Amino acid sequence: MTVRLTVAQALVRFLEAQHVERDGVENAFFAGCWGIFGHGNVAGVGQALLEREVADEPSHLRYLQGRNEQAMVHAAVAYARQRDRLAAMAVTASVGPGATNMVTGAALATINRLPVLLLPGDTFATKVANPVLQELEDPANGDISVNDAFRPVSAYFDRVHRPEQLAPALLHAMRVLTDPAATGAVTLALPQDVQAEAWDWPEELFARRVWHIARPVPEPAALDRAVAAIRSARRPLIVAGGGVTYSRANDALREFAEAAGIPVAETQAGKGALAYDHPRSVGAIGATGTTAANALAAEADLVIGVGTRYSDFTTASRTVFAADDVRFVNLNVSAFDSHKLSATSLVADAREGLRALTALLEGWAVDSAYTARATQLAGEWDAIVQAAYDRSNEPLPAQSQVIGAVNELSDPRDIVLCAAGSMPGDLHKLWRTRDRKGYHVEYGFSCMGYEIAGGLGVKLAALDESDSRDVFVMVGDGSYLMMNTELVTAVAEGVKIIVVLVQNHGFASIGALSESLGSQRFGTQYRYRTETGLDGDRLPVDLAANAASLGADVLSATSIEDFRTAVLKAKQSTRTTVIHVETDPLVPAPDSPAWWDVPVAEVSALDSTRQARTSYEDHKTHQRSHLAPTDNDKDHP
């Protein structure tokens, strides 16, 4: 039996029929389709979405109207992260700039290993009217379009030139989207004429299809090698990454750490793997890490990475794991990540791998003095955090005071969300995470503009799971000005998020980095131009008025007391609320001495740059290659 549908109609029907299962729990995989329509998709995917919506069938794919194509991808990616990659969204855009606007979002999704299906319109497959509006012409290449820009940032890419190609393209797309080790942005480029073309489709293409999310178990010999390495360690440290959360391995991690007495440090994606006050938790690690985690990392003779890809911020540009005898055991569902830093590789699901390690290490634990020292270091850092929360800074509050107020006044299950600027580093060190999903900082791509769209995606995911927790979006004025458009979408959808808009009149994070590199905060402040450059008075930018003009409720705070009152009022509200607060960008949060490798000009006429170069060269001497193969270490069989 066949059914006659357009390519776009068949695409939408297929997406509605896809389900996933893990641990015996099934759910629909696609929760909706974001879209902005233009001539490249309005008569194809747009018409198909309309047809399903007016049919009013329970399984129809809901349509969400965005205001910026990049922001739509951010919202979809944040949704998938909140759902632990067990649900996702599609995003459709027109040809030309509508499509290329999505490329940044695609890179963010693939770098963070989060599933999103991108459906950019494409130019005519038949080429009967070339060049069409917004078509890129290449005199030397007749089959190229701007959508080829998606290839390097997609986990899978295909272009559907003919209706017959749709079914295999969709099946390959689902294979990648539902594979924890391979997932990311999947791009199916859809020529606008092909979208509207009819075809007789086999009905089985639209049958309910369940994709089973595997939990790979560790290979026995690899497990034996990992256990031997752990048993030989005297100063082991666990580094928990995002894979712990996506696997829902938090309980397994807690049980492993408790049984073995091993302290747990957290990456940005892994923050919340343990509650901040758990006796084994030592907080953030790396360039934005705590003094506790980084002190233990410097001494560790074994690092057990669980679900981490070891970004340069995690390793402090390969300086934080400093012991001469340091070795690595990496538990990861991805073989690519498990082999990093010359580690003993344990390719497995995080939960299943931790359970297997716990069973085989029964009765073994590190020396109690080491465990006690880790607990002491964590307590000392927590006192530093409290002092940063309680500090009094006049006339403007410090950013750490703002973070502390939100942390203390939010509910334990509320979510804090951020992506770029100085805020992510401060949150990584200072935020006291109380729930495994309470911390959402996008730091794989650290994309300015992710924040508001991401907050909307997270809140939609929470609502889809009948979860009423609040989402606090922490955003600086720089990121806000990059992309604030989805405030309009939140208002239109009646979805409440709380946006904490920190005004510091420029790029605070890059300003501090610039100063440390000898570049004197050049080009990082919002000022009028004078004869000597952008060094005049501050610009009269009224971000509170801007947010109000987009339909949000706005509360302005001029002191930390006003800010605390505003947070409580926003909590009580049912509408999207923006809290505008000005902070002092020159007051840093407490820090550890960890380093981040950003090269400094080797020669310069500026004294500040020459001094920074001297410091840079000193730090470079502390970088480690981590090339020694762990499994071949004769002293550690």
Side-chain angles (χ1 to χ4, degrees):
M1 296 289 291
T2 61
V3 56
R4 192 163 182 81
L5 299 167
T6 69
V7 167
Q9 291 163 359
L11 164 70
V12 171
R13 293 281 185 96
F14 177 88
L15 298 184
E16 291 173 347
Q18 305 312 298
H19 293 72
V20 294
E21 175 273 328
R22 188 173 71 175
D23 299 333
V25 178
E26 291 186 12
N27 59 266
F29 185 64
F30 288 102
C33 181
W34 289 89
I36 295 176
F37 300 122
H39 68 283
N41 65 342
V42 65
V45 176
Q47 188 278 337
L49 289 168
L50 167 66
E51 190 166 296
R52 294 300 287 162
E53 190 163 296
V54 298
D56 198 28
E57 294 187 25
S59 63
H60 82 266
L61 193 69
R62 65 174 168 176
Y63 165 67
L64 293 155
Q65 181 188 64
R67 271 72 193 174
N68 177 286
E69 291 89 354
Q70 182 187 145
M72 293 193 301
V73 183
H74 291 335
V77 170
Y79 183 98
R81 175 170 168 173
Q82 181 64 19
R83 296 288 301 271
D84 291 332
R85 303 192 293 208
L86 297 176
M89 288 187 168
V91 186
T92 180
S94 187
V95 300
T100 56
N101 277 354
M102 296 199 297
V103 172
T104 296
L108 182 147
T110 300
I111 286 171
N112 286 285
R113 323 283 171 81
L114 292 167
V116 61
L117 177 62
L118 305 180
L119 305 170
D122 215 326
T123 53
F124 279 67
T126 56
K127 303 185 179 181
V128 296
N130 288 25
V132 299
L133 180 66
Q134 300 175 330
E135 179 173 353
L136 171 69
E137 290 186 281
D138 183 348
N141 192 331
D143 67 351
I144 198 169
S145 84
V146 297
N147 286 340
D148 288 282
F150 284 98
R151 291 181 184 272
V153 295
S154 295
Y156 179 79
F157 177 93
D158 202 353
R159 181 177 279 115
V160 180
H161 293 283
R162 294 290 308 142
E164 301 97 310
Q165 296 172 337
L166 180 65
L170 288 172
L171 293 172
H172 281 304
M174 286 302 302
R175 169 185 58 82
V176 175
L177 289 167
T178 58
D179 183 345
T183 195
V186 167
T187 303
L188 299 182
L190 304 172
Q192 54 185 305
D193 52 343
V194 175
Q195 289 182 49
E197 188 173 345
W199 188 256
D200 293 320
W201 307 91
E203 288 189 346
E204 55 263 34
L205 179 63
F206 312 115
R208 187 177 188 275
R209 193 180 303 262
V210 180
W211 299 81
H212 301 281
I213 310 298
R215 286 193 179 275
V217 297
E219 188 263 331
L223 188 60
D224 289 343
R225 290 192 292 270
V227 168
I230 295 170
R231 284 185 178 276
S232 70
R234 291 172 294 132
R235 303 178 306 277
L237 176 68
I238 297 168
V239 175
V244 173
T245 296
Y246 300 140
S247 176
R248 298 181 182 174
N250 305 77
D251 289 343
L253 174 65
R254 175 180 51 77
E255 291 164 4
F256 175 61
E258 289 174 349
I262 304 175
V264 177
E266 298 170 325
T267 71
Q268 281 280 17
K271 192 169 171 70
L274 288 184
Y276 86 95
D277 56 354
H278 188 279
R280 297 289 79 76
S281 175
V282 294
I285 192 168
T288 53
T290 71
T291 53
N294 285 346
L296 293 169
E299 302 169 1
D301 59 354
L302 182 71
V303 177
I304 306 169
V306 184
T308 177
R309 64 191 189 95
Y310 288 110
S311 76
D312 65 338
F313 260 68
T314 297
T315 67
S317 298
R318 299 204 178 186
T319 60
V320 74
F321 305 121
D324 291 336
D325 60 346
V326 66
R327 298 163 297 133
F328 297 84
V329 169
N330 291 339
L331 166 59
N332 204 296
V333 73
S334 164
F336 176 77
D337 289 321
S338 72
H339 282 91
K340 289 178 177 176
L341 305 181
S342 305
T344 293
S345 169
L346 195 60
V347 180
D349 170 77
R351 191 190 73 180
E352 297 308 301
L354 287 167
R355 286 177 173 176
L357 289 173
T358 302
L360 290 178
L361 287 166
E362 184 177 3
W364 176 88
V366 296
D367 188 272
S368 59
Y370 175 68
T371 300
R373 180 167 180 270
T375 301
Q376 178 186 348
L377 290 171
E380 291 170 357
W381 176 258
D382 194 58
I384 292 172
V385 171
Q386 191 61 52
Y389 283 6
D390 293 341
R391 73 177 300 161
S392 178
N393 197 73
E394 299 292 344
L396 299 175
Q399 186 163 272
S400 64
Q401 293 175 265
V402 169
I403 291 172
V406 176
N407 193 251
E408 291 170 357
L409 297 174
S410 59
D411 293 338
R413 298 186 67 257
D414 287 346
I415 299 166
V416 65
L417 182 143
C418 192
S422 61
M423 193 80 74
D426 289 355
L427 288 167
H428 193 208
K429 293 176 289 189
L430 302 180
W431 188 263
R432 291 166 166 169
T433 309
R434 299 155 287 179
D435 181 84
R436 77 175 193 91
K437 300 298 290 187
Y439 185 87
H440 184 125
V441 171
E442 188 286 300
Y443 220 57
F445 210 37
S446 186
C447 186
M448 294 179 72
Y450 174 88
E451 292 88 350
I452 292 173
L456 175 58
V458 168
K459 184 66 175 183
L460 286 169
L463 292 172
D464 281 354
E465 294 186 299
S466 300
D467 190 342
S468 61
R469 67 175 83 192
D470 275 322
V471 177
F472 283 86
V473 174
M474 309 287 281
V475 60
D477 52 331
S479 284
Y480 179 86
L481 287 170
M482 286 271 186
M483 192 175 299
N484 52 39
T485 51
E486 301 320 301
L487 279 177
V488 178
T489 306
V491 172
E493 294 286 342
V495 174
K496 175 199 172 185
I497 57 175
I498 300 173
V499 179
V500 177
L501 173 52
V502 176
Q503 169 67 280
N504 48 42
H505 302 282
F507 302 114
S509 174
I510 296 303
L513 179 64
S514 171
E515 188 169 46
S516 72
L517 302 178
S519 296
Q520 303 174 11
R521 295 183 180 261
F522 176 72
T524 63
Q525 300 181 63
Y526 296 157
R527 304 279 183 169
Y528 282 107
R529 181 172 293 281
T530 70
E531 292 180 356
T532 55
L534 294 171
D535 57 3
D537 292 337
R538 286 178 172 176
L539 298 176
V541 178
D542 191 340
L543 299 184
N546 175 267
S549 76
L550 299 178
D553 290 346
V554 177
L555 302 171
S556 291
T558 57
S559 67
I560 197 65
E561 292 75 18
D562 289 345
F563 180 76
R564 295 178 69 90
T565 300
V567 170
L568 292 174
K569 187 173 181 180
K571 283 282 295 174
Q572 294 168 359
S573 176
T574 60
R575 285 176 40 81
T576 286
T577 303
V578 175
I579 305 174
H580 180 272
V581 58
E582 189 169 353
T583 61
D584 188 338
L586 300 181
V587 180
D591 210 347
S592 72
W595 181 63
W596 183 37
D597 190 348
V598 179
V600 180
E602 191 169 357
V603 296
S604 174
L606 301 175
D607 287 340
S608 60
T609 304
R610 290 196 297 269
Q611 292 170 11
R613 178 69 190 190
T614 299
S615 175
Y616 177 74
E617 290 174 351
D618 177 65
H619 279 106
K620 289 289 286 183
T621 64
H622 299 287
Q623 280 187 306
R624 304 284 303 280
S625 66
H626 299 307
L627 292 177
T630 296
D631 289 348
N632 293 350
D633 191 330
K634 291 184 291 184
D635 295 328
H636 301 90

